[in-house]
Structure formats: C-alpha cells, structure tokens
Amino acid sequence: MQLYVLGKKAGKSVEPANEDSGSRDPFNSFRRMVWGSQTLQERLSGFENEDALIAECVAAGREYGFAFSAKDVDDALRQGERSWKERWIG
Amino acid sequence: MSADLAGWLPIRFFWRHDQPVVDWALMGTCRLADAFFDETVDRVFRNPFRKLFRRETSADELLNWAAMSQGLQPRGFIFHMSRCGSTLLSQMFGALPRCRVVSEPHALFGIMRGQFRKASVTPEQRASWLKAMITALGHPANATETEYFVKFDSWHCFHMRLVHDMFPGVARIFVIRDPVAVLASHMNYPAGWITPGVFPPALCGLTLETSRRMAREEYYARIIGLICNAAADLTEQGLCIPIDYSQLPALVYYLLPRIFRMTISEDESELMRIRTMKHSKLPDRQFQGYSEEKHRKAMPGIYQAAARWIEPAYQRLRAAALDLNSLQNHDRELCMKQGGQHFGRI
C-alpha cells in the first residue's frame, strides 16, 4: 500500500486520466486502481450526484492509502468535462 | 503489457506535446442508440463516475488493443454530403438490435485531421491509427450485436480511399441530396465541422483568414462541392455507390441485402419502418415530412452558390446513383412494399 502527500503541487496540471503520470498524483494513482478493480467500480459507479461521488472517492482513497482532497477530485471532474466539451478545438 | 480495455471505447484522438493521445470512456454494455456517437458519450457522462474515471493511452496502446482484441468486422461504411438523410438511414440500421452503428465519432475526426495539424504524420501512421480506431469502436455492447456499420463525417470522404485500403472488402455508399436543400440546411443550422478553422481550410485551397471573410453560402458551397467532387471521382473509380435522398427510405430494403449482404426479416423491416416515422436526429419527435420551409428561408445567394460550386459534381453523382426504377422487378417491388413512403411524401 502506498501513501501520498495530500494535495498536489502548485501549478501542476490535473490530467488524471493520463496513464503515464499516474504515479505522480495521488488521485491519478487511485484512478488507476479503480480501472482495475471491479469492487471499487461497483462501489463508485452508482452515484448520480457529483458531490456524493467526490466524497466517496475521498473516503475510498483514504481506505486504500491515497491522500487527495475533494478539490482534487472536483478539479479532475471539471478538467474531464472541459476536454470533452472543447474537443473540436483540441 | 497492453492495458485491458474491455468495456472501454475511444472517444477522442488528440495531440499533447506532439504525441498522439487516445481518450477512452467506460461504456460497458451501453448501446449506441443515439443519432450520433458523441451524443451517446454525452448520455454516458451524465453518470459522474463515467465522466471522472476516463483514461488516456498512447496511440501505440490503441494499436495493441486493436490487434489483440476481438471486435466486429465492419459490414458497411456510410459516407455522405451532409444534411441528406444519412442519419435516418444509419438510425434505421441501428433500429435492428443486431446492428452496431457508430455514427460520426469524434475519435475519427482527430485522426482524419491529423495530417493537417501534424505535418510529421505519415500516411502509414494515419492508416494504422484509422484501422485500429475503427476496430476498437467495433467492440459490441452485447452478444446480440453482430453487424457493424460506420457512418463517417461528410468531409471524411476525402479519406475514403484510405478506408477502402484498410477494409477493402467492405461496401461503401455515399448519400446525396439536392444541393440547395443541403446548403439551406447549413445556412439555418451550420454543422460544427464546417466552421472555418475546424474544417481544414487547406483542403479547399483557402487560408483560415480568407475562409472567415468569405460569404457563408459560398464558403459552405465550396466545401460541400469539394466533398461531392471527391465522391464523384471515387464513384467513377468504383469505390462507392451514390444513394439519392429522393429514393430513401425505400432503397434501404435493397441496400441491406444486395449491397451490404445482410438478409433482413419481416420483423426487422417493421422495426426500420417504425424508425422512419421519427425525426432522425430528434427521435422523440414525429417526422413531419420535408417542407419547402428551408427553401423559403434561404437567401437567394444560395441558389447561385449551389449551382456554381456543388451542382456539377452532384449531377455526376446523381447519374451514377442507384435507381429504384433500374432494379429488377422483384427488388423494386420489395422496396416499394417495405419503404415506399419517400421522405417527401410521408
């Protein structure tokens, strides 16, 4: 089990979907774990409310030794939303 | 070792720090029931988990996944000049539970546009990415899906030869319609891809600046004309079969068994017929039939623009288009029985 420093370094892009940068960002590492865990996918995929999902991610992350904040998850969510909406200019 | 991407579909192909990146979404068993692939992605993203837990891979991972995984082989490819009935046609196919229809996915856009954004992209790279992307998109949502169709964006017609080379045995059609109606539709509701800067201006010999300064009807007509011209050349080389809007939906009942070699049952014919009664892009609405409204709203300039830039290529395509009247009696009667209500007459 790995333990990471809470939060992220100032100015660091939150692109947690990038598999190459997984080890440098606690939430990204957690996300990689979720990709490979049916148990975690089932635990997290039922949330229709974003705030509830974010809170559950933080709680699950803590259980597995990943220290990231609700803001980290929210930033990742917004980043994903933006990249999809702005796909035509990408 | 390659990532296990079962249940994931590529939704974007883009560049970051000069490297191609593939964005994937966990689609699971979600059927692609919407008029466009990206609309299904929007629907999937209403679930915040799916929006949050996306993943990105390199283009090499896409190639590896396509090589090792078992997707469906394409049954047919649909190209078109835009605003011409191709969406309803693909929705009719998609009305059959065994048909998987991937309609204008943005992931293909990134690859098709690649050569214009990255001069270093070789034709071989683009070909291998394209083949892998189509293969990855062909992963069925369930065991019932056995037939796979891809509907391309209209300007992807410029890459039809590449598609042919990658999938040489797969039939290709090109859907056409009266140029004034097509142009009027774009004047009222321009497609995203036709916006100056999104459509690679080099394809029509323009710069971004000149394309932005040009009258809209001329700019749209030039692009649509180029698309039709490319399709007409490809038709004359035997690479695609033009289908005219005026012959839809009846001709679908010939296309499926004779061109795409897919026999359809009575029940399936009924499913397709029911789908024709709904609006192609807004399926919760009844289809109201084609009116002259688009023409009335149209600016007089569109007639001139259509005549100058689109009409010559359109006439070449029309001359080569499949015609109900030239079919054998048996086929023609079947078409008229199953789908005799043309768009204009519903």
Side-chain angles (χ1 to χ4, degrees):
Chain A
M1 191 177 286
Q2 296 164 292
L3 191 64
Y4 293 86
V5 179
L6 185 68
K8 62 185 194 307
K9 289 178 184 173
K12 183 179 174 190
S13 161
V14 184
E15 288 270 6
N18 188 335
E19 299 190 8
D20 293 335
S21 62
S23 60
R24 297 193 298 270
D25 183 297
F27 178 66
N28 214 3
S29 300
F30 174 69
R31 177 147 47 184
R32 289 164 67 93
M33 177 182 273
V34 173
W35 292 336
S37 166
Q38 195 64 35
T39 307
L40 278 171
Q41 287 181 23
E42 284 171 12
R43 174 173 171 179
L44 300 170
S45 61
F47 290 93
E48 292 180 7
N49 177 283
E50 289 185 357
D51 291 339
L53 173 66
I54 290 169
E56 191 65 10
C57 282
V58 172
R62 238 174 236 146
E63 286 172 31
Y64 286 87
F66 297 97
F68 51 82
S69 67
K71 183 175 182 308
D72 292 331
V73 186
D74 189 59
D75 284 350
L77 201 51
R78 299 304 144 226
Q79 166 63 28
E81 212 167 63
R82 236 185 348 263
S83 66
W84 177 243
K85 279 184 183 162
E86 296 174 357
R87 61 193 181 278
W88 291 100
I89 56 175
Chain B
M1 187 181 164
S2 295
D4 180 3
L5 291 158
W8 297 76
L9 290 180
I11 60 170
R12 280 195 308 152
F13 183 100
F14 65 100
W15 295 83
R16 180 188 291 136
H17 309 311
D18 279 338
Q19 294 298 316
V21 180
V22 184
D23 184 359
W24 302 74
L26 182 60
M27 305 291 274
T29 56
C30 178
R31 235 175 93 69
L32 308 177
D34 304 274
F36 299 99
F37 179 84
D38 288 8
E39 288 179 358
T40 304
V41 176
D42 285 334
R43 187 159 52 83
V44 164
F45 282 174
R46 285 182 208 151
N47 177 318
F49 171 81
R50 309 257 179 153
K51 191 164 57 178
L52 179 61
F53 285 89
R54 282 167 35 205
R55 62 198 297 181
E56 291 178 0
T57 70
S58 65
D60 284 344
E61 282 291 305
L62 169 70
L63 296 175
N64 290 340
W65 173 244
M68 66 181 268
S69 59
Q70 296 290 318
L72 299 172
Q73 280 301 303
R75 168 69 64 179
F77 293 133
I78 302 165
F79 292 87
H80 56 97
M81 67 185 284
S82 77
R83 311 297 168 90
C84 55
S86 59
T87 301
L88 184 55
L89 190 141
S90 64
Q91 285 278 285
M92 287 174 72
F93 295 1
L96 311 185
R98 66 176 160 138
C99 281
R100 175 177 184 78
V101 181
V102 174
S103 178
E104 303 186 10
H106 191 271
L108 287 178
F109 174 86
I111 294 175
M112 301 291 198
R113 198 168 66 156
Q115 73 181 112
F116 302 101
R117 294 181 67 83
K118 294 284 164 194
S120 58
V121 174
T122 65
E124 291 76 20
Q125 280 178 314
R126 199 152 44 89
S128 61
W129 293 336
L130 177 67
K131 185 170 188 182
M133 186 63 79
I134 289 174
T135 302
L137 288 165
H139 275 259
N142 55 51
T144 308
E145 289 185 352
T146 55
E147 310 297 340
Y148 175 30
F149 292 88
V150 179
K151 175 179 174 250
F152 291 85
D153 249 321
S154 48
W155 70 276
H156 294 171
C157 166
F158 296 122
H159 301 295
M160 195 191 297
R161 179 169 286 283
L162 188 62
V163 174
H164 163 263
D165 291 346
M166 294 299 98
F167 298 93
V170 181
R172 293 160 303 279
I173 60 169
F174 185 85
V175 188
I176 59 174
R177 185 183 181 189
D178 167 29
V180 172
V182 173
L183 204 47
S185 176
H186 280 291
M187 291 298 284
N188 285 328
Y189 308 102
W193 61 268
I194 210 167
T195 308
V198 175
F199 182 87
L203 269 176
C204 48
L206 299 170
T207 64
L208 184 58
E209 197 183 349
T210 50
S211 62
R212 281 182 173 151
R213 278 205 311 260
M214 195 173 279
R216 278 201 309 143
E217 59 267 33
E218 180 180 342
Y219 172 71
Y220 295 161
R222 279 181 182 234
I223 291 177
I224 297 164
L226 277 170
I227 290 168
C228 288
N229 206 46
D233 289 346
L234 292 159
T235 298
E236 285 158 12
Q237 293 161 27
L239 290 180
C240 70
I241 301 168
I243 305 294
D244 195 276
Y245 175 94
S246 64
Q247 308 250 317
L248 294 172
L251 208 50
V252 168
Y253 299 89
Y254 177 84
L255 278 179
L256 278 175
R258 303 290 192 201
I259 305 298
F260 295 124
R261 306 198 174 284
M262 184 181 141
T263 308
I264 45 175
S265 68
E266 284 285 330
D267 288 347
E268 288 179 322
S269 292
E270 180 62 9
L271 284 174
M272 289 197 292
R273 193 193 63 78
I274 291 168
R275 184 61 189 85
T276 64
M277 304 310 289
K278 305 272 178 68
H279 192 286
S280 64
K281 291 167 185 166
L282 305 165
D284 54 334
R285 294 190 194 169
Q286 289 290 114
F287 182 65
Q288 296 298 316
Y290 177 68
S291 74
E292 290 297 316
E293 184 185 14
K294 286 173 183 168
H295 287 84
R296 284 201 304 270
K297 277 188 181 173
M299 295 188 295
I302 70 166
Y303 290 91
Q304 196 179 358
R308 178 170 179 195
W309 298 104
I310 313 175
E311 192 69 25
Y314 172 70
Q315 288 304 333
R316 286 168 66 202
L317 288 161
R318 205 162 169 219
L322 263 184
D323 188 345
L324 278 171
N325 293 320
S326 66
L327 304 182
Q328 292 188 350
N329 284 344
H330 168 76
D331 288 327
R332 187 171 60 248
E333 283 163 14
L334 181 70
C335 286
M336 296 311 292
K337 178 186 162 200
Q338 302 288 10
Q341 293 174 307
H342 291 195
F343 286 156
R345 298 180 195 160
I346 291 175

